[in-house]
Amino acid sequence: MTIRLLIVDDDPLVRAGLTFMLGGAEDIEIVGEGTDGAEVPELVERLVPDVVLMDIRMPRVDGLTATERLRARPGAPEVVVLTTFHADDQVLRALRAGAAGFVLKDTPPAEIVASVRRVAAGDPVLSPAVTRQLMTHVAGQPERSEQPEQVRRTAAARRLAELAEREREVALAVGRGGSNAEIAAALYMSVPTVKTHVSRILAKLGLNNRVQIALLVHDAELSEDGLSGDEDGV
């Protein structure tokens, strides 16, 4: 399957570099480029990309606002945000808005290509180590727009209580950073069964991806064992 990719960045040199490194992949087609978040709705409507690689800082409409608006639409493409920071409040906001993950602008080309492929396949681009860092960051520096901690914790716990017992076990495992294979082994399931449970959790809770499941578990403070797993991905 060819992955249709839209690149949005206000720096022409960054766009050229991304186009060069990603355009050489046989399974990735660069369908277009944008220079600002304000252009995203029209470009997505016209070009129908599978994945949008979105810069965070742009002059008119930033990548975070563009991601929030885009992911609120039905049938929206996956979004990977570009950033220069590992633990940035803005990255967390993008993940809450439904971005499938993020990559650093100085990430080696092969890793960026792999990230686009993973997101297109439905996997978030966040290793457990990066997930831990984001969780720690937001726990220590809550966003001003968020609810008070106790209210947020209660609301998150109430949402998780809507899940069936097995779904809740899978959600907690996702919150600890487990891969599908790790969750399957720990809960004595097959990998396809884990994927089915994850899909049901997303549908029941109105979430976009498993990163948001992990954030919800964190908000409910139910990941008492900490986030663990290998470094190859959530």
Side-chain angles (χ1 to χ4, degrees), residues 3 5-7 9 11-30 33 53 80 82-83 103-117:
I3 302 166
L5 178 68
L6 172 65
I7 297 173
D9 195 299
D11 188 331
L13 292 179
V14 171
R15 291 200 309 276
L18 290 170
T19 298
F20 176 78
M21 73 175 69
L22 291 163
E26 293 182 356
D27 58 341
I28 296 176
E29 177 187 0
I30 310 296
E33 298 179 11
L53 197 55
V80 178
L82 288 164
T83 181
V103 294
L104 300 176
K105 288 192 174 182
D106 59 356
T107 298
E111 292 184 23
I112 294 182
V113 172
S115 296
V116 170
R117 288 172 176 155

Side-chain angles (χ1 to χ4, degrees), residues 218-229:
H218 171 267
D219 284 347
E221 294 190 346
L222 294 177
S223 184
E224 66 275 1
D225 292 336
L227 294 168
S228 62

Side-chain angles (χ1 to χ4, degrees), residues 38-204:
E39 303 171 7
V40 170
E42 187 275 331
L43 288 172
V44 168
E45 184 77 21
R46 177 165 54 88
L47 301 173
V48 195
D50 299 306
V51 178
V52 178
L53 197 55
M54 183 101 69
D55 185 26
I56 285 184
R57 293 173 176 83
M58 291 182 285
R60 290 186 296 161
V61 176
D62 63 74
L64 301 174
T65 301
T67 297
E68 290 170 341
R69 292 174 180 174
L70 180 59
R71 292 298 299 171
R73 298 170 52 178
E78 298 291 351
V79 176
V80 178
V81 294
L82 288 164
T83 181
T84 55
F85 299 99
H86 276 285
D88 192 329
D89 281 332
Q90 294 180 319
V91 172
L92 184 74
R93 177 183 158 195
L95 297 178
R96 290 192 185 281
F102 70 93
V103 294
L104 300 176
K105 288 192 174 182
D106 59 356
T107 298
E111 292 184 23
I112 294 182
V113 172
S115 296
V116 170
R117 288 172 176 155
R118 284 183 56 192
V119 167
D123 294 324
V125 184
L126 281 176
S127 71
V130 173
T131 303
R132 280 194 297 271
Q133 194 171 6
L134 284 168
M135 299 300 188
T136 300
H137 184 68
V138 70
Q141 302 180 33
E143 296 170 274
R144 285 175 290 181
S145 61
E146 290 186 333
Q147 298 169 310
E149 182 179 353
Q150 182 59 49
V151 174
R152 188 174 67 250
R153 183 187 306 129
T154 301
R158 184 180 299 116
R159 293 184 70 191
L160 289 171
E162 299 173 12
L163 302 175
E165 181 178 357
R166 207 58 166 160
E167 292 168 347
R168 189 171 182 274
E169 291 177 351
V170 171
L172 295 181
V174 170
R176 297 185 184 103
S179 66
N180 286 336
E182 290 168 339
I183 295 171
L187 299 180
Y188 304 101
M189 299 177 179
S190 67
V191 170
T193 300
V194 173
K195 291 181 178 180
T196 297
H197 280 305
V198 170
S199 296
R200 288 174 178 168
I201 293 166
L202 295 173
K204 280 189 176 182

